[in-house]
Amino acid sequence: MLLGATVLALGGVSPASAQTPFFVMASTTSTEQSGLFAHLLPAFKKASGIDVRVVALGTGQAIDVGRRGDADLLFVHDRLAEQKFVDDGFGLQRREVMYNDFVVVGPKADPLGIKGSDVVSALGKLATGSAPFISRGDKSGTHAAELRYWQAAGIAAPANTFAGYKACGCGMGQALNMASSLGGHTLTDRGTWLNFRNRGDLAVLVEGDKRLFNQYAVVVVDPARHPHVKRALAQTFADWVTGPAGQAVIASYRIGGEQLFFPNAQH
């Protein structure tokens, strides 16, 4: 398992810790940069004795890692891509874990008047101006959602529609940093936004649209496709995070008293 070996090498694993059972999870930058995993994974290790080695990428890249067999489990947020992964025989089952929502952030002064609860209307207004819009441009779940919103606004190719559109090919934290430094706008998951400290003049301008709902799920990679996959360890996590104990830990994660993720696993 190439990525697993790489993670071990980069992590400087001691001989003692190398004996601890572990599996590799390919996940999103939003779950990592929101601080959720720093809260969630120690609780799982305490309950199970299993380490989780996280490879944090955009959802599209994370799913590609799973397709190659370089991860044992996916924890991502792009329903259609997740189901295709299962339907194509790479994953055992898609299990919903939690949700939060997306928001559009931009300059507090809101020069284009996009503030409100209609994401499609907001993007339509952004496309008429030259104010920067920072797209992750990385095939992540956030990027996939953003493209759906542009499509709904009648803009199939935003990169070719207005000069302010900038695709960074980067994670959520870097995209937010760019928006902050350029006085621009971006779509972000609320969890990463709440954990983001370099806000500068940025504020939430668009929120509350039901289309901004953001579902996360886990999928264990199918060992029938990749026999080296650590199915038992990954399944232990999938069962725990969708069970009462894991769901309670997710619900307890807060920043400034505000809950970042809302568990909704089906028991």
Side-chain angles (χ1 to χ4, degrees), residues 243-261:
Q247 295 278 283
V249 175
I250 290 169
S252 70
Y253 182 48
R254 297 171 183 267
I255 292 179
E258 187 166 353
Q259 186 172 339
L260 274 71
F261 299 94

Side-chain angles (χ1 to χ4, degrees), residues 83-140:
Q83 192 58 52
K84 188 175 190 309
F85 181 81
V86 173
D87 293 345
D88 289 348
F90 290 96
L92 293 175
Q93 181 186 12
R94 177 185 177 274
R95 300 174 68 181
E96 295 187 348
V97 177
M98 63 188 190
Y99 69 92
N100 66 359
D101 63 342
F102 293 114
V103 296
V104 177
V105 300
K108 292 176 184 176
D110 189 21
L112 295 177
I114 70 167
K115 188 174 180 63
S117 59
D118 188 332
V119 64
V120 172
S121 172
L123 293 185
K125 291 177 181 177
L126 286 173
T128 65
S130 59
F133 181 92
I134 310 303
S135 169
R136 284 182 56 174
D138 62 349
K139 298 183 179 180
S140 62

Side-chain angles (χ1 to χ4, degrees), residues 214-260:
N214 182 30
Q215 179 71 52
Y216 290 82
V218 291
V219 182
V220 176
V221 177
D222 192 341
R225 182 65 67 116
H226 297 293
H228 60 268
V229 163
K230 298 177 179 179
R231 174 181 177 175
L233 298 181
Q235 191 66 55
T236 298
F237 176 81
D239 292 342
W240 179 85
V241 80
T242 58
Q247 295 278 283
V249 175
I250 290 169
S252 70
Y253 182 48
R254 297 171 183 267
I255 292 179
E258 187 166 353
Q259 186 172 339
L260 274 71

Side-chain angles (χ1 to χ4, degrees), residues 132-157:
F133 181 92
I134 310 303
S135 169
R136 284 182 56 174
D138 62 349
K139 298 183 179 180
S140 62
T142 304
H143 182 217
E146 176 217 317
L147 293 179
R148 289 196 299 270
Y149 304 145
W150 286 115
Q151 185 76 34
I155 302 168

